[in-house]
Amino acid sequence: MAMLRLLAISLLCGAVAVPFLGEPRGDGFEHARYAVLVALVIGQVVTVPIGSVAGLVLAATGSWPRTPGYVLGSVTTACGVVVAAQARAASRWIDGSPPGLRDPEDSSLAVAAAFLSGAFTICLGISLVVMRWSGYDPRTAPVRRGRTPRRRPRTP
């Protein structure tokens, strides 16, 4: 559970790079959208490996076994939907060959990476919510359900 939790947190923490790297090259909302998506992908390239290693260490030591909550799953899903929707809109804008972009093919690749990141974030968020909703708790042993022998009534 620590692995999934820290993976979700590291995907969300990729947004920390946006204020530092998200400087648009042109004027207009589309250029700003593209710059934010590229900065988000760059931030996730840095934060996801760190979160994955920390999650592996916590999972190997057995600490933090609690199931992630509804809030983390919901926020992760919502952020994934926003990123995927913005990446799809930016992809349509890039396909129209906008002025001000140096190489539309590289831009399409960066937006595709952002779309895949958003889709993966959606899947991770939904899986966190479903695991929490199903009542999965890794600290408990699975209950074996089977047929139990019935007692025969005593005859006097």
Side-chain angles (χ1 to χ4, degrees):
M1 288 304 112
M3 182 69 189
L4 291 177
R5 178 178 287 166
L6 286 175
L7 184 60
I9 291 171
S10 63
L11 282 169
L12 295 174
C13 285
V16 171
V18 171
F20 302 111
L21 301 174
E23 185 175 326
R25 293 187 182 206
D27 293 332
F29 179 73
E30 289 83 11
H31 287 280
R33 174 190 293 157
Y34 173 71
V36 166
L37 287 174
V38 170
L40 179 72
V41 169
I42 291 171
Q44 287 178 345
V45 165
V46 173
T47 59
V48 168
I50 294 169
S52 298
V53 169
L56 282 173
V57 169
L58 289 174
T61 60
S63 54
W64 217 8
R66 193 177 53 152
T67 306
Y70 291 114
V71 174
L72 180 63
S74 301
V75 168
T76 304
T77 303
C79 287
V81 167
V82 168
V83 169
Q86 293 302 317
R88 183 69 182 137
S91 174
R92 288 182 183 165
W93 173 68
I94 288 172
D95 288 342
S97 66
L101 285 180
R102 294 181 185 163
D103 190 6
E105 291 176 3
D106 288 341
S107 301
S108 295
L109 184 64
V111 170
F115 181 77
L116 290 176
S117 169
F120 179 74
T121 305
I122 291 169
C123 293
L124 180 64
I126 289 173
S127 67
L128 290 175
V129 169
V130 167
M131 282 186 349
R132 183 64 174 187
W133 179 67
S134 70
Y136 175 76
D137 189 7
R139 295 175 288 182
T140 60
V143 177
R144 187 174 176 153
R145 299 185 192 265
R147 295 188 64 180
T148 58
R150 299 179 93 186
R151 290 187 182 185
R152 294 182 181 243
R154 288 191 198 189
T155 55

